[in-house]
Amino acid sequence: MQVKGRVLSVASECVPLIKTGGLADVVGALPAALRPLGWEMRVLLPAYRRLRGHLGAMREVWREPGLWGGEGVVFAGEVEGVDLLLLDAPHLYDREGGPYNSAGGDWPDNPQRFAALSWVAARLAREGVGGWKPDILHAHDWQAGFAPAYLAYGGPSGVGSVITVHNIAFQGWAVAGMLGALRLPREAFHPGQLEYYGGLSSLKAGLVTADRITTVSPTYAAELMRPEFGMGLQGVITARAGVVSGILNGVDTGIWSPEAEPLPYSARAMKGKAANRAALCAEFGLAEPAGPLAIVVSRLTDQKGIDLLPQVVPEFVAAGGALVVLGSGDPALEAAMRGLEQRFPGRVAVRIGYDEALSHRLFAGADAVLVPSRFEPCGLTQMYGLRYGTIPVVAAVGGLADTVIHASPAALAAGVATGLQFHPTDAVAFGQALRQLVALHADPKLWAQVQRNAMAHPVGWETSAAAYAALYDGLAR
Ligand SMILES: Nc1ncnc2c1ncn2[C@@H]1O[C@H](COP(=O)(O)OP(=O)(O)O[C@H]2O[C@H](CO)[C@@H](O)[C@H](O)[C@H]2O)[C@@H](O)[C@H]1O
């Protein structure tokens, strides 16, 4: 395949190396999805403590002195299938804990830690590295937000820049007094550029300086221009509406495939799904419910609407449903989930933690996946649900609205429904959607039709990769 161009992707997470959320899935999936379209992508990540073990097998390709208290060294190589650049700067990244925090909370020097990543990204984009010269710098979220800014403020580079918003709730705040320390130009500290409510935001810096802005669904792109979803940045996004686009995420259909599960099944051979259901109930000590077996696989946060579950689950269980929750996050929500489990033994089971293998068993065994998000840039679990014939019940926001076809009378009559949507995100609408789920599940013919539609819905990367490739094509000069 002839190479059309090269992209330096810069992010703080990438599957299979380091993940706290959906950002990692997308950053990890893009290189392979773009390769057949002629775009060669390398991913630049910080060498966190748990990634430093890979450095020995990589080549040193760049040295950056004076990187906020020490030297940074960039290593290149293929690691677990990813064409990777690792920025080793032990004074910033070699720590016990997660990418952004330890048990004691966020790292206080996060502005410098991710400014360093962005600084090196801009340097590599401009200069090239080991004979590899990017045409495009693609920054993800606030952690890479300063990268397009450093590139732009450094003068013409011939390199196009893109920033993708995976979640606007995280904005990379820093106090205004850090402007100089973060190597940002004083003359750009005004509302049209870097100033953000009296301080700095690395995400805003990226949004005002990148050539193109993308987010992970068309509906979220439109929502971001409104105060309820823009979270302070709506004006910034609206001012740049002409360069904003929404490109839906895909999922890795090789990894997320009911045919690849230990008890395999497919749209044409659904018997295996019943076996998965029975195995799942046995694993969690649940009586196999007469009604739908629902799951939630999620970070337990306010964004995800988890607090609504205690309000809707009692009626759902009374109507014959059962629920398994897998997630971790906010301690109050974890406690609320444990409370539900205690209240409904044999009907509700909860596993606090992060467990990818278990999440596969949940999607394979369940009838429905619940995603009651208050906002959802794209969302991945509803797409796993479609793929597994595990009917998504989603709040009609962001990418959830874009990927699920609501079982309205019209959609059912046309034979195209793939799930259920509700609006707004509150217990009344959610409860009503669950009543509809129970009714749909009780009609085997209709249920089978919705499952078939869901499983036939394309959720791979093909369409989205083509959209990114077209974006890069338009930017490469
Ligand atoms: N306890 C657990 N055990 C196992 N797996 C778990 C888990 N908790 C979560 N996961 C997995 O983590 C991923 C979460 O991705 P999402 O896209 O649903 O949300 P997230 O808010 O993290 O991502 C943000 O970025 C992505 C990527 O752009 C957007 O889709 C999304 O809307 C945005 O909020 C999924 O792969 C899910 O299965």
Side-chain angles (χ1 to χ4, degrees):
M1 175 81 210
Q2 202 197 334
V3 176
K4 274 167 112 183
R6 297 176 177 81
V7 184
L8 176 62
S9 176
V10 49
S12 57
E13 304 184 19
C14 176
V15 154
L17 298 161
I18 174 101
K19 166 168 168 173
T20 72
L23 164 69
D25 293 299
V26 176
V27 173
L30 275 177
L34 284 159
R35 200 171 301 129
L37 303 174
W39 283 92
E40 193 177 279
M41 180 177 267
R42 287 193 181 173
V43 180
L44 174 68
L45 288 180
Y48 304 113
R49 174 164 294 179
R50 70 173 97 157
L51 298 187
R52 294 190 82 225
H54 295 295
L55 296 177
M58 301 174 79
R59 291 171 289 121
E60 179 185 323
V61 291
W62 185 271
R63 274 181 181 263
E64 187 72 26
L67 203 62
W68 282 275
E71 189 180 38
V73 183
V74 178
F75 291 83
E78 197 182 303
V79 178
E80 300 195 35
V82 184
D83 199 352
L84 193 67
L85 295 164
L86 274 184
L87 171 59
D88 188 35
H91 58 293
L92 299 172
Y93 309 125
D94 184 12
R95 302 173 182 183
E96 206 49 55
Y100 319 118
N101 47 31
S102 64
D106 283 356
W107 300 113
D109 59 347
N110 273 346
Q112 294 90 331
R113 295 173 75 233
F114 292 102
L117 177 72
S118 301
W119 180 264
V120 169
R123 294 269 290 145
L124 299 185
R126 187 179 286 276
E127 307 289 336
V129 57
W132 189 82
K133 177 78 178 72
D135 304 281
I136 309 284
L137 171 68
H138 190 156
H140 297 270
D141 271 351
W142 70 270
Q143 298 90 336
F146 283 138
Y150 292 138
L151 191 65
Y153 295 136
S157 65
V159 178
S161 60
V162 178
I163 185 159
T164 295
V165 180
H166 295 266
N167 193 336
I168 207 145
F170 305 105
Q171 305 186 344
W173 275 85
V175 295
M178 289 188 71
L179 190 71
L182 292 174
R183 305 181 183 173
L184 295 163
R186 204 147 288 277
E187 62 277 12
F189 190 71
H190 57 80
Q193 287 277 299
L194 295 175
E195 191 269 346
Y196 188 53
Y197 296 99
L200 290 167
S201 147
S202 57
L203 182 58
K204 180 183 174 185
L207 293 173
V208 297
T209 53
D211 295 319
R212 297 283 186 280
I213 297 169
T214 73
T215 186
V216 288
S217 69
T219 291
Y220 195 56
E223 287 171 346
L224 284 179
M225 298 178 197
R226 310 215 315 253
E228 333 59 298
F229 292 100
M231 299 192 176
L233 285 166
Q234 61 276 7
V236 175
I237 308 254
T238 308
R240 302 212 63 205
V243 299
V244 173
S245 58
I247 303 176
L248 274 175
N249 292 332
V251 305
D252 187 328
T253 50
I255 294 175
W256 293 98
S257 165
E259 287 168 78
E261 296 297 336
L263 298 171
Y265 65 95
S266 68
R268 269 172 297 151
M270 287 295 279
K271 276 216 180 73
K273 189 155 180 65
N276 279 289
R277 190 183 198 260
L280 186 59
C281 288
E283 179 177 352
F284 280 91
L286 299 175
E288 269 214 63
L293 172 61
I295 55 168
V296 170
V297 178
S298 182
R299 294 186 290 116
L300 303 180
T301 64
D302 182 61
Q303 171 191 346
K304 302 292 183 180
I306 301 299
D307 53 298
L308 300 175
L309 286 170
Q311 299 173 65
V312 298
V313 163
E315 186 189 327
F316 179 60
V317 165
L323 175 70
V324 182
V325 177
L326 167 64
S328 65
D330 183 341
L333 292 171
E334 290 183 357
M337 294 303 102
R338 286 203 184 92
L340 274 179
E341 183 179 45
Q342 278 159 13
R343 217 174 128 194
F344 300 105
R347 305 306 293 273
V348 175
V350 174
R351 181 77 53 88
I352 301 297
Y354 187 93
D355 188 336
E356 198 132 337
L358 173 57
S359 76
H360 277 260
R361 295 198 294 284
L362 292 177
F363 282 100
D367 300 306
V369 56
L370 314 182
V371 196
S373 304
R374 294 203 161 76
F375 67 95
E376 196 59 77
C378 179
L380 298 174
T381 56
Q382 84 281 14
M383 295 203 269
Y384 305 153
L386 291 170
R387 184 105 174 107
Y388 281 70
T390 302
I391 301 309
V393 179
V394 304
V397 291
L400 301 175
D402 288 338
T403 50
V404 174
I405 301 174
H406 176 62
S408 64
L412 286 172
V416 296
T418 62
L420 294 167
Q421 294 192 2
F422 61 91
H423 178 82
T425 303
D426 65 17
V428 175
F430 191 12
Q432 183 61 15
L434 290 178
R435 273 175 223 117
Q436 200 186 341
L437 177 72
V438 170
L440 195 63
H441 182 259
D443 183 332
K445 225 173 121 205
L446 218 47
W447 183 259
Q449 185 204 82
V450 176
Q451 274 187 319
R452 266 197 311 276
N453 294 343
M455 295 175 87
H457 186 90
V459 292
W461 269 103
E462 295 76 10
T463 310
S464 312
Y468 280 110
L471 184 81
Y472 301 151
D473 286 338
L475 270 181
R477 28 200 123 168

